[in-house]
Each structure stands twice: as structure tokens, then as C-alpha cells.
Amino acid sequence: MTLSAIEAVSLDHVLLDDDPINRDWIIFGTPVARSAQWSASKDGTTTTHVWDCTKGRFRWYFHADEIVHIIEGSVTVQGDGIAKRTLGVGDAALFRAGSWSEWEVEEYVRKHAILSSPLHPTVSFGVRAARRIARVFRPKAK
């Protein structure tokens, strides 16, 4: 399967499927979450998603580095040793792989998320070395 050089989508029109929050993570309320993946990198380490959720409070575990961009509504987040922060439309945040945070959705939130799975340190070293070598041989812009 070949991937298109450019993938584009209207985030407001991505159709979402049910994506229940782990019941053990729910602190308060009955939040209903939905999501959809709309693209992935060639190597599969980075994916892009749209996710939404109704009112509730819950803990969340990040298995990958996740950059979120709020596109509708708001959410108040906090992590171990990190003060509460409300993210609203236009705000972005990075949640590191292996971390927990608490999310409180007052009414509704919709976010665009970019997930990047961490590589094993030896693989990561090889990737960085290959990028440096590639820069040396990169064609110059005309």
C-alpha cells in the first residue's frame, strides 16, 4: 500500500467511533468518549486522531507522547506534581509517554491528538545518526 504525499482532513468532519474510558480510571460522572484515527506515519510510530468526551472526571495513562490541540470545549488537566491547567479552544499541550494525568471535562471537549510511540534507545540512536548523515547528502534547494 502506498501512502499519499499529503493527507488532509477537516477535523470537524471526522466521524468518531465509541472509545470507552477504562471504568477503573473514572473518578466522577459517566463520561462518554469517542475517537478516530485519520492518518499514520509510514513507519507507524506516529498517528493522528480526533477524540471527544462528555462531562466527567477521570485519570488517563499516556502510552505514547501525545500532543493535544483543543478544537472545541475545554478540559482541566493536572498531573503528579503539576498544577491544574485549563485547556480551551486553540490551546495545546504535550503529555509524555508513561505519565498519568487527571482530566476534568465540565461539559464537552474535542481535541486533535498526535501520538508518537517512543523508540527503544538503541533504535533512537540509530535514527538520530541516520538523520545527521542524511543532512550531509540532502539536495540543496534551487
Side-chain angles (χ1 to χ4, degrees):
M1 173 174 114
T2 56
L3 297 176
S4 171
I6 297 174
E7 292 185 53
V9 66
S10 171
L11 298 176
D12 293 336
H13 295 106
V14 174
L15 298 177
L16 307 179
D17 297 315
D18 290 337
D19 188 10
I21 297 168
N22 183 324
R23 289 178 189 246
D24 295 336
W25 298 356
I26 297 174
I27 299 167
F28 176 78
T30 53
V32 175
R34 302 177 306 157
S35 71
Q37 178 180 318
W38 68 268
S39 72
S41 62
K42 286 183 182 182
D43 64 5
T45 61
T46 304
T47 55
T48 56
H49 305 257
V50 174
W51 180 89
D52 75 356
C53 186
T54 60
K55 183 177 183 170
R57 187 163 45 118
F58 48 91
R59 294 202 19 96
W60 194 265
Y61 179 75
F62 292 89
H63 65 277
D65 286 341
E66 183 171 333
I67 297 170
V68 303
H69 178 226
I70 306 301
I71 54 180
E72 187 177 344
S74 66
V75 61
T76 300
V77 297
Q78 68 180 17
D80 296 334
I82 308 296
K84 284 185 179 182
R85 168 89 189 251
T86 298
L87 303 173
V89 175
D91 291 335
L94 167 64
F95 297 88
R96 302 273 182 206
S99 67
W100 283 92
S101 67
E102 186 176 303
W103 287 54
E104 184 168 3
V105 178
E106 287 293 327
E107 294 298 327
Y108 174 79
V109 67
R110 185 177 179 98
K111 70 177 183 177
H112 181 235
I114 302 168
L115 282 67
S116 179
S117 299
L119 300 173
H120 186 277
T122 56
V123 173
S124 181
F125 174 79
V127 168
R128 287 191 312 272
R131 286 182 180 153
R132 286 184 185 132
I133 293 168
R135 278 194 294 258
V136 171
F137 297 103
R138 183 178 301 144
K140 304 295 182 206
K142 295 180 181 182

